[in-house]
Amino acid sequence: MTDILQQDIKYLSGIGPQRQKILSKELGINTYGDLLQHFPYKHIDRSKVYTIREMTSDMPFVQVRGRILSYETFPMGANRKRVVAHFGDGTGVMDLIWFSGGQYIMKTYHLGVDYIVFGRPGVFNGRMQITHPDIDPAESLTLESMGMQPYYHTTERMKKTGMTSRSIERYVKTLLQNLPPLRETLPSSITQPLHLMSRDEALRTIHYPHNQYELQHARERLKFEELFYVQLNILRYVSGNRRKYKGYLLPRVGAAFNDFYFKNLKFELTGAQKRVVREIKNDMNTGRQMNRLVQGDVGSGKTLVALMAMLIAVDNGFQAVMMAPTEILAEQHLATIRDFLRDLPVRVELLTGVVKGKKRKEVMEGLLDGSVNILVGTHAVIEYTVQFHNLGLAVIDEQHRFGVAQRAKLWGKNENPPHVLVMTATPIPRTLAMTIYGDLDVSVIDELPPGRKPIMTIHKYEKQKLSLYEGIRREVAKGRQVYVVYPLIQESEKMDLQDLEAGYEELQRVFPEYRMSKVHGKMKPAEKDEEMQRFARGETQLLVATTVIEVGVNVPNASVMVIMEAQRFGLSQLHQLRGRVGRGAEQSYCILVSDYELSAETRKRLDIMCETNDGFRIAEADLKLRGPGDLEGTQQSGMALDLKIANIALDGQLVQLARDEAQKVIDRDPECNAPENSLLWNRLRELRKDNVDWGAIS
């Protein structure tokens, strides 16, 4: 049966080569199977026929049975006419109106013939009307065929060629009428206990349900199957890797760790930090390779946790490496780690593109002979020429900034893959983490160190700039520093640069007494880093920048983050930018400046930012507003979330159920070859062959 679903869509009656090209280009529909999985985005109940007397203008959609009594045409200039049909059913008369295609209507629909008219009612000059209604001969429709009418997404180009939702509906109806029963893709051991519809029934019902109850059950079956195979693939990958790769045993907690913890650490770890360190220590003592994701908001102490993990590696005779996405972040980590370790006999070195000549040679030799214990760097650390004496732990910071291939190169730096700890300050909702990072064990640092005050977030409009400038002046008078960020959208870099330049000039006029730094993506890396370092050293009071500072400089003295045109940023990005302040003990502020005219969704986004500093709540809201495909990191992660019907944001319970069922299969069949599961493994191979990239990514 797979063969018929692979059939080229052009062979379906009513389509042909020309429409096939449009369907392929506009909707990615190339086969019968693609059409079958182009699911309706809504259904409208057409089981009731109203009379004109019963109609009111606040009804969403209605259908009426009656006859066209007469036509009128009204000129609209330049060879265009508005066509009005007067339509009656014995209880009243209404108008049907067309602003285009009127000549076709008058030729096709005749006076005195019974028609079913369907559309959204309105009132004009006291008379009911429907603009551009659907019209069908009454004899061609039965109450059953009029039941729940599906509506399909199309594009403007399709509509111009006459391919509407009704066209798609006709193609689907033709396909279903000629389609033999579809084979099952889930075993009865799963479908029966969960009371799931058969695949054949679900795929037919999703297009033509008799009622909402049937529609809901069809959607549940198809969503579950989609999510189940995503999770099964991830867990199969994890199970295979855990059998294949043995991890280095790191049982010893020795001098490096203990001297740091008891002598150098001047404050108490949070409960969350202690919990995560325990989880990491347990991982490295199991004999299997660790793959752990540590999530935590900016300032939650992830770097300290990573350092303690690296010290355990050092105590066991291994080296550790920390890879960061930018040179400035790598240098920041180096400075933080050296400050933490102070006089301890642990050698920490930096390797980035700017480390050259004699210094680079010294670092490379130290890595090879084992005298360098901890290496901090950028993607330079994964170059082929960089060789370690005995690498035991790799820490990847802001891991979504690295491609899969780059991260994989770290695996080849020792005989067995090193333990891997990936960190992100972009909180990821649990259901999304379970899918995108499903091959990783997840730890969450959900406490901020004591003494940190929550950042106060305020929304201001452009016309309130005077009070904004007064607030900046008050903070700078206290000796604080201020970020002012302008949006950067790649398609419009020239315009954004003009925005930044104009804003910089305005700020110079408003604050002639202040020294300012300016940073944007068009600058050379050395110039950009120097400007950021000037700000970090306190030589400038204001840093005017685009989003290049989203991940980067750590300036505890900076207490104000001003985000201009905040409506152009996503929630995740706003939260990341806000995390640049609030790093000291003083009260910090984030000011969101926007236009007054905002869409409801944008206003909701800015309201959420003002209501909470909780990165996980913000991530959940971001997921619901934008969907998983747009979330920062999803596309870079190497996993395409090309789900046809499931929604990670809204189907959290189904994600968990699918994972639980997939885990049961893996537990019973860890080698993935049991005959009773052949249906599952064959189906998984089909999906992979069809380029559904559901592979795990770390």
Side-chain angles (χ1 to χ4, degrees):
M1 203 51 56
T2 303
D3 291 340
I4 194 166
L5 293 184
Q6 296 299 325
Q7 182 80 272
D8 193 313
I9 197 70
K10 71 184 176 188
Y11 297 116
L12 187 67
S13 174
I15 293 184
Q18 288 304 113
R19 291 194 176 108
Q20 181 266 340
K21 285 178 187 172
I22 296 170
L23 286 169
S24 176
K25 186 171 182 182
E26 298 297 302
L27 298 176
I29 294 175
N30 297 293
T31 65
Y32 287 6
D34 293 337
L35 178 61
L36 202 57
Q37 291 190 87
H38 184 63
F39 299 122
Y41 68 92
K42 70 175 180 181
H43 290 78
I44 290 179
D45 188 351
R46 290 192 60 179
S47 58
K48 180 170 172 55
V49 178
Y50 290 86
T51 64
I52 293 174
R53 182 189 294 159
E54 292 174 310
M55 286 171 57
T56 61
S57 60
D58 58 358
M59 290 176 168
F61 289 93
V62 295
Q63 60 186 358
V64 181
R65 179 175 180 143
R67 296 182 174 191
I68 297 172
L69 307 175
S70 62
Y71 281 109
E72 278 189 275
T73 59
F74 300 89
M76 293 172 58
N79 300 320
R80 293 185 64 207
K81 290 180 180 177
R82 172 166 57 97
V83 171
V84 177
H86 304 299
F87 185 84
D89 70 346
T91 71
V93 177
M94 63 184 293
D95 291 339
L96 311 178
I97 299 169
W98 292 268
F99 293 99
S100 60
Q103 292 303 315
Y104 169 81
I105 294 295
M106 292 169 72
K107 285 179 187 173
T108 307
Y109 300 107
H110 307 295
L111 306 185
V113 177
D114 275 3
Y115 291 111
I116 299 280
V117 167
F118 176 75
R120 192 185 294 271
V123 174
F124 183 71
N125 285 340
R127 189 161 166 133
M128 296 301 302
Q129 64 174 30
I130 297 178
T131 303
H132 289 273
D134 289 341
I135 301 185
D136 293 284
E139 63 188 25
S140 71
L141 294 179
T142 63
L143 279 178
E144 186 174 325
S145 69
M146 289 191 299
M148 301 281 287
Q149 184 176 336
Y151 279 74
Y152 299 88
H153 283 298
T154 56
T155 66
E156 285 305 314
R157 184 175 174 228
M158 289 176 69
K159 287 170 187 167
K160 284 176 184 173
T161 62
M163 292 174 71
T164 62
S165 171
R166 291 296 293 275
S167 307
I168 303 288
E169 184 190 348
R170 282 195 298 273
Y171 305 150
V172 171
K173 186 175 281 187
T174 301
L175 175 60
L176 290 175
Q177 285 168 350
N178 293 282
L179 206 60
L182 296 169
R183 66 179 173 85
E184 187 51 81
T185 48
L186 291 174
S188 58
S189 59
I190 290 177
T191 57
Q192 285 180 4
L194 297 179
H195 306 290
L196 296 175
M197 266 185 185
S198 72
R199 177 173 179 245
D200 181 76
E201 186 183 0
L203 283 169
R204 294 174 191 274
T205 302
I206 193 78
H207 295 283
Y208 289 104
H210 292 104
N211 51 53
Q212 285 290 344
Y213 178 80
E214 277 191 3
L215 177 62
Q216 180 186 342
H217 278 262
R219 290 174 66 83
E220 278 180 6
R221 155 64 205 233
L222 296 171
K223 285 180 178 186
F224 174 84
E225 178 177 341
E226 195 167 48
L227 294 167
F228 172 79
Y229 278 107
V230 171
Q231 298 298 336
L232 185 66
N233 191 61
I234 291 168
L235 294 172
R236 177 198 60 83
Y237 173 90
V238 173
S239 175
N241 271 7
R242 285 180 176 171
R243 291 193 313 278
K244 182 178 176 183
Y245 298 113
K246 299 302 176 192
Y248 293 113
L249 271 171
L250 307 181
R252 177 177 155 81
V253 177
F257 185 98
N258 285 322
D259 285 352
F260 165 71
Y261 189 75
F262 292 108
K263 294 177 183 176
N264 285 21
L265 196 59
K266 301 300 182 188
F267 51 86
E268 183 74 11
L269 294 179
T270 65
Q273 286 174 311
K274 289 178 181 176
R275 182 185 70 244
V276 174
V277 170
R278 278 196 304 272
E279 289 168 350
I280 292 167
K281 184 176 176 298
N282 290 341
D283 280 353
M284 297 195 295
N285 199 21
T286 60
R288 67 176 177 82
Q289 189 231 3
M290 174 177 75
N291 275 294
R292 184 165 288 279
L293 169 69
V294 176
Q295 295 189 67
D297 262 336
V298 173
S300 61
K302 295 185 299 298
T303 306
L304 176 55
V305 166
L307 172 59
M308 294 171 79
M310 291 192 286
L311 291 175
I312 293 173
V314 172
D315 277 334
N316 285 273
F318 289 89
Q319 295 163 294
V321 61
M322 177 182 274
M323 186 165 74
T326 64
E327 288 183 357
I328 194 164
L329 197 53
E331 289 168 6
Q332 180 182 308
H333 282 316
L334 179 78
T336 301
I337 289 169
R338 281 183 171 167
D339 183 54
F340 270 135
L341 295 177
R342 289 193 286 283
D343 304 323
L344 296 182
V346 178
R347 185 179 170 192
V348 186
E349 295 289 356
L350 178 73
L351 189 65
T352 67
V354 298
V355 179
K356 299 187 189 312
K358 184 181 175 185
K359 181 61 182 174
R360 191 178 188 89
K361 186 167 180 273
E362 285 176 9
V363 172
M364 302 284 265
E365 288 172 351
L367 289 171
L368 205 51
D369 66 25
S371 60
V372 172
N373 305 112
I374 295 174
L375 179 68
V376 180
T378 55
H379 59 274
V381 306
I382 60 175
E383 290 172 8
Y384 176 73
T385 53
V386 179
Q387 296 185 354
F388 293 81
H389 173 68
N390 194 17
L391 181 65
L393 172 65
V395 178
I396 303 168
D397 190 28
E398 290 303 333
Q399 58 83 37
H400 61 271
R401 304 258 169 157
F402 295 99
V404 180
Q406 288 176 304
R407 297 198 296 272
K409 285 180 183 176
L410 283 169
W411 281 44
K413 297 294 184 183
N414 207 342
E415 273 183 61
N416 286 327
H419 295 293
V420 175
L421 186 69
V422 294
M423 304 193 301
T424 179
T426 306
I428 303 153
R430 188 166 165 277
T431 51
L432 192 60
M434 213 187 290
T435 305
I436 300 179
Y437 307 118
D439 61 326
L440 300 174
D441 297 308
V442 180
S443 293
V444 177
I445 303 179
D446 49 9
E447 293 177 60
L448 286 177
R452 289 276 179 94
K453 293 180 180 174
I455 300 163
M456 191 176 292
T457 304
I458 301 160
H459 179 200
K460 285 184 177 289
Y461 298 111
E462 283 279 345
K463 62 184 180 183
Q464 296 174 300
K465 273 188 178 177
L466 281 179
S467 68
L468 167 67
Y469 294 152
E470 287 169 12
I472 289 174
R473 195 167 262 116
R474 280 195 301 272
E475 285 298 299
V476 175
K478 296 176 190 172
R480 310 273 173 255
Q481 290 164 280
V482 178
Y483 296 99
V484 182
V485 176
Y486 287 84
L488 175 63
I489 297 174
Q490 285 181 338
E491 293 85 353
S492 181
E493 283 191 12
K494 188 174 180 183
M495 184 181 78
D496 290 318
L497 202 53
Q498 288 170 350
D499 286 351
L500 181 129
E501 295 291 357
Y504 184 74
E505 289 174 11
E506 181 181 344
L507 290 167
Q508 282 185 314
R509 287 195 302 273
V510 175
F511 304 113
E513 70 275 28
Y514 296 162
R515 295 185 303 281
M516 298 183 194
S517 296
K518 180 170 63 177
V519 178
H520 56 78
K522 294 287 186 184
M523 296 167 71
K524 291 178 181 174
E527 294 174 352
K528 190 163 59 181
D529 286 352
E530 174 53 29
E531 285 295 292
M532 281 182 159
Q533 292 297 354
R534 284 180 65 216
F535 186 68
R537 291 191 297 264
E539 294 169 14
T540 55
Q541 284 86 43
L542 267 67
L543 175 60
V544 184
T546 55
T547 51
V548 291
I549 58 123
E550 183 185 338
V551 172
V553 66
N554 177 21
V555 184
N557 190 51
S559 65
V560 181
M561 166 63 70
V562 179
I563 305 174
M564 307 301 293
E565 296 186 62
Q567 74 274 8
R568 290 172 65 186
F569 294 85
L571 264 175
S572 174
Q573 207 172 24
L574 289 170
H575 184 60
Q576 283 286 304
L577 287 167
R578 175 167 63 183
R580 295 298 101 206
V581 296
R583 289 162 172 254
E586 302 302 321
Q587 178 65 59
S588 290
Y589 303 88
C590 177
I591 315 298
L592 309 174
V593 183
S594 78
D595 297 335
Y596 188 77
E597 295 292 329
L598 299 173
S599 70
E601 184 180 305
T602 302
R603 198 171 290 280
K604 185 174 182 182
R605 200 161 64 231
L606 299 183
D607 286 347
I608 289 166
M609 284 296 297
C610 295
E611 287 165 13
T612 184
N613 284 290
D614 183 337
F616 288 93
R617 187 180 158 201
I618 286 167
E620 289 282 0
D622 203 18
L623 183 59
K624 285 176 180 170
L625 285 171
R626 293 201 287 157
D630 295 328
L631 278 187
E632 183 180 9
T634 305
Q635 299 306 318
Q636 299 98 311
S637 68
M639 177 175 175
L641 269 183
D642 184 23
L643 300 175
K644 302 284 187 191
I645 189 167
N647 183 317
I648 297 286
L650 305 176
D651 297 322
Q653 286 183 314
L654 271 180
V655 174
Q656 185 65 61
L657 179 63
R659 189 173 182 85
D660 291 346
E661 291 298 320
Q663 188 65 61
K664 288 178 192 173
V665 173
I666 295 293
D667 290 344
R668 289 194 304 265
D669 185 13
E671 302 286 337
C672 306
N673 58 14
E676 64 268 23
N677 292 324
S678 60
L679 173 68
L680 298 175
W681 305 126
N682 289 336
R683 178 61 175 160
L684 199 55
R685 276 191 286 274
E686 281 176 16
L687 292 169
R688 292 176 70 82
K689 186 178 70 181
D690 290 343
N691 294 319
V692 179
D693 184 9
W694 286 345
I697 55 85
S698 216

